[in-house]
Amino acid sequence: MTATEPTTSDEVQYRPHRAWYRRTDVVVPLILVALGYTMLIVAVEEKSFFRTRLTAKGSENFDWMYFWHLVPLMWQGLQVLAKATVLGFTIAAVLGLLLALGRRSGNRFVRWPFVAFIEFIRSTPLLVQLFFAQAYVRASDSLSWSPITILVVVLGIHYATYCSEAYRAGINSVPPGQWEAATALNLGSTTKWLRVILPQAIPNVLPSLGNFLVAAFKDAPLGFIVGVPELLFFANTVRGSDFRPTEPYILAGVGFLLVSIPAAWAVRRLERKIAYERT
Amino acid sequence: MDSWLLDSSQYELIWEGALVTLQILAYSFLLGLALSLVVGVARLSSRQWVRGVAFAYVEVARGISSIVLLFVIAIAVPILFEIEQQSLILLASIALGINMGGYGAEIVRGSIQAVPKGQTEATIALNLSPTQRLRHVILPQAMRLILPPMGNLTIEILKGTALVSLIGVTDIMQATRLINQQRLFTQSAADLTVLYVNVLLIYFLLSQIIAVLFRLAERRVESRYRGGDAEVPAAPSAPIPGVTK
């Protein structure tokens, strides 16, 4: 593809089209994300002990020395939290697409179970779902999942239903002309979905998927009820052993904001970048 | 696992819990609604410090997890400031309300911005005060856009109320755990799944009720927006000079 006419000054500058794997602005973040992902999964292990080596002054309500002393322990919990979120969201992103496709099915006996499933999971609390999963795993003989697996799977299914709504909106936003063109070109349904519809739908969906990733990160602390040693587990443990609730809980809140606000900011930037590229 | 139902005494316990859940939902909804209206308007204020404060509030309320916020407000803050933990229900509602306010403020802001600019200009031309402008012109029109996402948000808050069991309020979830403790000695773990399925269904029912209520409210607002036949004054019979059809 070559530019035949010179562009006028107020037109968008011509950018040579390159495959996505040759664009540095796509490949560099991808590699970084993949690296971080593997590091998170391989390097983080769930240690379930949070022992403090310092006692707070009992007379004060808030002891700064003790507060700073807790930071490494908080970091340990935060890593486990990040690991559970990332793994769970991987399930959610894939399963969500399948749910969205199932919901679009032409056969109503396929469509209705999907709709019912999505609506049911979406409108019941994650907390109850976690308890249910734990009870289910305990009751069954064949399943023996560790706490973090339960959290990852439940979080994944819960957010898959949210993601499926986002995918659905993205697929519906592909102009009808594209569908008609695919039909006119006699493309098979696999080719149509993989080469025409999804490549146009996914970029629209990315920002809302990012928002759901942040939301999943905010729901992941619930894992402590099934015994995942993460942020809130850390706060509870320290509270139980040192009888000092103030510092660990406030530290948990601060540690949380340190991750979620930059993440939300990054999502907003992505949103703006995609909106810019599409105009 | 022979039956999918619980016996009546257990449903009674859950019903008592459901009343507490609904109470917390009502309190936090009212607080959240008030906060989201105030903060949502404040985010569009012409004064910079007002905007800054509102922005900081929204970022914190949306950035922090509702469960962490719940623990901070119900446990850490009362000890820090030496307040008596008088009512856990109230503290839990405050935490959930703050959380809802952060999301609601963004909904309100977006909806106000979506009201056509001409409306604001018209009210300025009509010499309405800023309060009148908001109360009679902008908010009623923004309400159409506010309601659908607000319904979703309320369902999210209903789901959030399940968390208050973790700080010791006897809501549905806590009642369930009580039942759980009673049965563990007598029955198998398979019954637990039955118990939780029941609870899941109750939450599903509650959220469907909320969805229906919001749909009714939406229809009402929509018909008001379209104009009822009773409230609209009769059209002038003679054409107004200067106005072309």
Side-chain angles (χ1 to χ4, degrees), chain A residues 45-53 66 69-81 224 227-242:
Chain A
E45 49 188 318
E46 304 91 46
K47 285 177 281 184
S48 58
F49 49 89
F50 295 93
R51 197 155 303 135
T52 51
R53 279 192 305 263
Y66 182 64
H69 171 73
L70 288 178
V71 169
L73 292 177
M74 186 274 283
W75 175 241
Q76 184 188 330
L78 204 59
Q79 280 175 319
V80 176
L81 199 59
F224 87 94
V228 182
E230 33 72 321
L231 199 59
L232 222 51
F233 191 90
F234 140 78
N236 277 341
T237 317
V238 172
R239 175 194 177 199
S241 61
D242 289 12

Side-chain angles (χ1 to χ4, degrees), chain B residues 139-208:
Chain B
L139 273 186
Q141 296 186 59
M143 205 44 98
R144 285 173 67 231
L145 303 172
I146 290 176
L147 274 180
M150 209 46 120
N152 284 337
L153 186 57
T154 311
I155 293 177
E156 291 293 315
I157 295 302
L158 170 72
K159 288 160 64 180
T161 57
L163 304 176
V164 300
S165 64
L166 299 176
I167 59 166
V169 180
T170 40
D171 72 326
I172 298 181
M173 208 46 224
Q174 186 72 9
T176 315
R177 286 161 113 192
L178 283 177
I179 295 170
N180 176 5
Q181 282 163 7
Q182 290 167 5
R183 333 177 83 191
L184 263 188
F185 302 101
T186 53
Q187 272 152 327
S188 68
D191 289 306
L192 255 182
T193 50
V194 176
L195 180 62
Y196 286 125
V197 165
N198 272 289
V199 175
L200 283 172
L201 283 172
I202 289 170
Y203 273 109
F204 181 64
L205 202 68
L206 286 178
S207 62
Q208 291 315 100

